[in-house]
Amino acid sequence: QQPVQSPQAVILREGEDAVINCSSSKALYSVHWYRQKHGEAPVFLMILLKGGEQKGHEKISASFNEKKQQSSLYLTASQLSYSGTYFCGTEHAGNMLTFGGGTRLMVKP
Amino acid sequence: DTAVSQTPKYLVTQMGNDKSIKCEQNLGHDTMYWYKQDSKKFLKIMFSYNNKELIINETVPNRFSPKSPDKAHLNLHINSLELGDSAVYFCASNSGRYGYTFGSGTRLTVV
């Protein structure tokens, strides 16, 4: 079952923060986050494996609430290079990642 | 370069034709995948394959078939192409509980 991402789109000024949410109706083994720029392949950002885990990647971090079956991606002090579409991917059973519908992020100067 | 490579990058073909897309990874990963990305950017899993098991997304028409000659290759064969098959197809690979590495994609246009 496809996870639900919100919001669908975000427009930011450089330096502003954003949060992207991902929720699932099924129990999660892991949550992945990817960024895709126009015309390119999705690029892996991070994976969260445990309940309550939080990870960081420069100014991009994420949390995973296993009980609530939710994950959030935090983008702080956004840069122009952060623009793109962000996808969460959820793993339930087996080994296939199911992606959310994506969140389009545009960072303006 | 270590990577996941797909060929061709672009494929334009007529309805009813049969076509294949090739994928190779030199990362030593155990599992390979095919994803379809439609015009609304939705990424849909089609297949997951390692040397032990093929997992097929039940919603994928049986006109689509993965073929894996060895652990480093997973090709996608499509029979009787339809207009609705037009999309970008991504190959990906990973091992264990690690992130996926995607190929650069194949843009398929059926006319």
Side-chain angles (χ1 to χ4, degrees), chain A residues 2 34 36 41 87 95-97, chain B residues 33 35 37 42 48 100 103:
Chain A
Q2 181 187 359
Y34 293 78
Q36 184 180 28
F87 291 97
N95 198 24
M96 294 204 296
L97 209 57
Chain B
Y33 311 85
Y35 281 85
Q37 188 168 46
F42 175 44
S48 162
Y100 288 22

Side-chain angles (χ1 to χ4, degrees), chain A residues 19-61:
Chain A
V19 180
I20 300 171
N21 300 302
C22 175
S23 64
S24 174
S25 58
K26 292 170 65 174
L28 297 172
Y29 287 1
S30 69
V31 177
H32 294 218
W33 286 97
Y34 293 78
R35 177 171 59 211
Q36 184 180 28
K37 293 187 179 281
H38 182 69
E40 299 180 8
V43 173
F44 173 69
L45 294 176
M46 64 189 80
I47 182 172
L48 300 109
L49 298 173
K50 299 176 186 177
E53 185 176 23
Q54 186 143 358
K55 274 194 171 180
H57 178 76
E58 297 180 345
K59 293 179 182 176
I60 300 175
S61 62

Side-chain angles (χ1 to χ4, degrees), chain B residues 7-30:
Chain B
T7 54
K9 192 167 176 64
Y10 300 96
L11 185 54
V12 181
T13 188
Q14 290 186 327
M15 282 175 57
N17 284 350
D18 302 339
K19 289 293 178 185
S20 292
I21 305 172
K22 295 185 176 181
C23 178
E24 175 183 2
Q25 56 96 3
N26 61 5
L27 299 164
H29 286 167
D30 296 326

Side-chain angles (χ1 to χ4, degrees), chain B residues 57-103:
Chain B
N57 184 328
E58 60 193 13
T59 66
V60 174
N62 57 15
R63 297 182 295 104
F64 291 79
S65 57
K67 297 187 192 304
S68 179
D70 55 56
K71 185 179 168 183
H73 296 83
L74 184 65
N75 304 324
L76 181 65
H77 190 75
I78 316 169
N79 289 327
S80 302
L81 278 155
E82 301 177 358
L83 292 176
D85 298 332
S86 296
V88 180
Y89 292 83
F90 285 102
C91 177
S93 70
N94 86 318
S95 280
R97 311 296 289 280
Y98 295 97
Y100 288 22
T101 302
F102 283 82

